[in-house]
Amino acid sequence: MTLNVGVIGVGMIGQDHIRRLTHVLSGARVAAVTDVDLDRARAVADDLPGAKLHQNGPALITDPDVDAVVVTSWGPTHEEYVLASIAAGKQVFCEKPLATTREACDRIVDAEVAAGRRMVMVGFMRRYDDQYRAMKAAVTSGDIGAPLIMHAAHRNPSVPGHYTSDMIINDSTVHDIDVARWMFDDEIAAVTVLKPRVSSKARPGFNDPLLVLLEMASGVLVDVEAMVNAGFGYDIRGEVVCEDGTVELSESEGTVVKRAGRFSGRVPATWRERFIRAFDLEFQAWIDAVRAGGTTGPSVWDGYAATVACETGLAALRSGVREPITLRARPDLYKQDVA
Ligand code: NAD
Ligand code: ISE
């Protein structure tokens, strides 16, 4: 049976997910769309044979012809739509962030726990990237010994006009925060944020770049260089240093050309290019799991822990000192991770 998906928020990533649901993946179709910008939603619906246009999110969620919901609207709207989907008994894929505050995430945790089953997958797609998966396999195999340190860099070539200085942490570094928790199957215990010399390309009021230091509960340290005006491309780096060796993300996605005593390769232009396969794998995993009656991948707990770490990171940026993280007790529903 084909899964009929309703999409709330048809901006940049909403349209990209509609493209993959319609033309790339199997087992699902886009049955309905909506957006606060109804003209945009109408234009998208017109290109999708048989898709309905809904006036708002609640109408889409309660439509009996919609089996499952994709939330790709702005972050502050996610809570409302995820809670409504849970209340309607429908599986939901929510782009990051799960919600923008600890309290909002708490309410989603409470709702899902009350429902008694996992109903939400959060879009931390790096967990589906081949390179990150190979890195995690190397770390967990034990072949290179116990992990000690992870070095990471998250460099955007540039960011759009609506991007604020806080987003360096809660829109960009949030991915590295999720990778750290997933890589080491561990929670983050404390965050410190250092401010290097400000790039001359930074917008006024931006501390760009930042150095974000995550202390895992085990004692592993993760340093993340976050920069949003790198100019030269979208450059994602990672290396885990273990007791008996190291593992790093490969330098080039494609071929490395050696010529005349030099070598060169491609730096991806955008996150869409760098993670296109991860997005496909993530979404296919969600479709398959929902068709089988459940869900998979990053959970509401992962979304909650990431948002709390971002809030703490912003507090550390402002205070200039190490800020400890306090999480609520982890409900039994999230004690067994599925991916
Ligand atoms: P965008 O601004 O291009 O699109 C957001 C859309 O949501 C717009 O069309 C807007 O009109 C609509 N919208 C806003 N409020 C709404 C509401 N109350 N109800 C319905 N629609 C509403 O933004 P985007 O870049 O597509 O980002 C959307 C979400 O996806 C964000 O949460 C962002 O963090 C996330 N995102 C994730 C990744 C990733 O790598 N996983 C990449 C980009 C964006
Ligand atoms: C963007 O919103 C994303 O989620 C991308 O994956 C990330 O790399 C980028 O920094 C964010 O702005």
Side-chain angles (χ1 to χ4, degrees):
M1 185 203 76
T2 300
L3 186 72
N4 290 308
V5 173
V7 180
I8 303 177
V10 292
M12 180 171 50
I13 205 162
Q15 291 188 36
D16 204 37
H17 288 336
I18 287 171
R19 175 193 60 76
R20 58 175 46 86
L21 281 163
T22 309
H23 299 295
V24 182
L25 308 178
S26 59
R29 64 178 279 269
V30 177
V33 298
T34 191
D35 195 293
V36 75
D37 180 344
L38 275 174
D39 289 338
R40 178 179 289 172
R42 186 172 296 107
V44 170
D46 285 349
D47 273 353
L48 294 167
K52 293 186 200 170
L53 169 68
H54 278 295
Q55 295 300 304
N56 52 49
L60 178 144
I61 291 166
T62 52
D63 180 344
D65 293 332
V66 169
D67 303 323
V69 179
V70 168
V71 176
T72 42
S73 49
W74 292 327
T77 69
H78 291 182
E79 178 194 5
E80 176 193 350
Y81 298 135
V82 170
L83 287 175
S85 300
I86 294 172
K90 294 188 181 175
Q91 289 289 340
V92 53
F93 175 95
C94 178
E95 256 309 337
K96 45 73 53 169
L98 172 64
T100 47
T101 65
R102 173 197 288 261
E103 292 74 21
C105 290
D106 268 333
R107 288 188 282 272
I108 298 174
V109 170
D110 292 340
E112 200 180 42
V113 168
R117 62 189 174 114
R118 279 201 49 197
M119 300 185 66
V120 184
M121 174 170 170
V122 183
F124 287 124
M125 78 298 179
R126 288 190 184 189
R127 296 182 182 210
Y128 292 87
D129 177 65
D130 294 328
Q131 289 198 33
Y132 275 114
R133 288 180 91 102
M135 176 182 262
K136 183 172 166 69
V139 170
T140 52
S141 73
D143 290 349
I144 51 174
L148 306 170
I149 296 170
M150 180 169 182
H151 304 296
H154 186 150
R155 302 181 185 129
N156 284 357
S158 61
V159 282
H162 70 263
Y163 192 99
T164 62
S165 58
D166 282 0
M167 290 170 80
I168 300 182
I169 290 184
N170 60 24
D171 190 65
S172 296
T173 311
V174 63
H175 285 288
D176 304 274
I177 284 168
D178 181 65
V179 163
R181 295 184 59 258
W182 169 76
M183 184 67 62
F184 302 113
D185 289 317
D186 198 8
E187 295 297 355
I188 302 168
V191 189
T192 308
V193 180
L194 301 177
K195 303 174 195 170
R197 176 180 172 186
V198 176
S199 162
S200 64
K201 292 194 286 181
R203 251 187 259 155
F206 273 58
N207 277 112
D208 179 22
L210 290 176
L211 203 53
V212 181
L213 187 64
L214 309 173
E215 292 174 46
M216 308 308 294
S218 66
V220 169
L221 288 186
V222 180
D223 60 82
V224 184
E225 171 211 309
M227 183 194 276
V228 298
N229 276 296
F232 64 88
Y234 180 73
D235 193 26
I236 298 302
R237 309 290 293 273
E239 179 183 28
V240 180
V241 180
C242 300
E243 287 177 350
D244 299 318
T246 66
V247 53
E248 60 192 292
L249 302 178
S250 159
E251 185 64 31
S252 171
E253 283 295 295
T255 50
V256 173
V257 177
K258 296 182 180 171
R259 184 173 166 273
R262 295 177 175 274
F263 65 84
S264 63
R266 178 169 170 77
V267 180
T270 62
W271 49 265
R272 274 166 107 164
E273 178 185 343
R274 169 64 181 82
F275 288 112
I276 189 164
R277 185 172 143 78
F279 281 118
D280 289 349
L281 293 175
E282 163 196 61
F283 241 88
Q284 189 66 61
W286 180 70
I287 293 167
D288 294 348
V290 175
R291 290 178 77 205
T295 189
T296 186
S299 67
V300 160
W301 180 259
D302 296 316
Y304 159 82
T307 293
V308 172
C310 288
E311 281 191 356
T312 311
L314 288 171
L317 172 64
R318 279 162 195 139
S319 70
V321 297
R322 173 184 184 276
E323 298 284 351
I325 289 187
T326 317
L327 299 176
R328 64 187 278 175
R330 186 169 175 142
D332 288 346
L333 185 61
Y334 309 114
K335 288 204 168 131
Q336 271 200 325
D337 276 338
V338 284

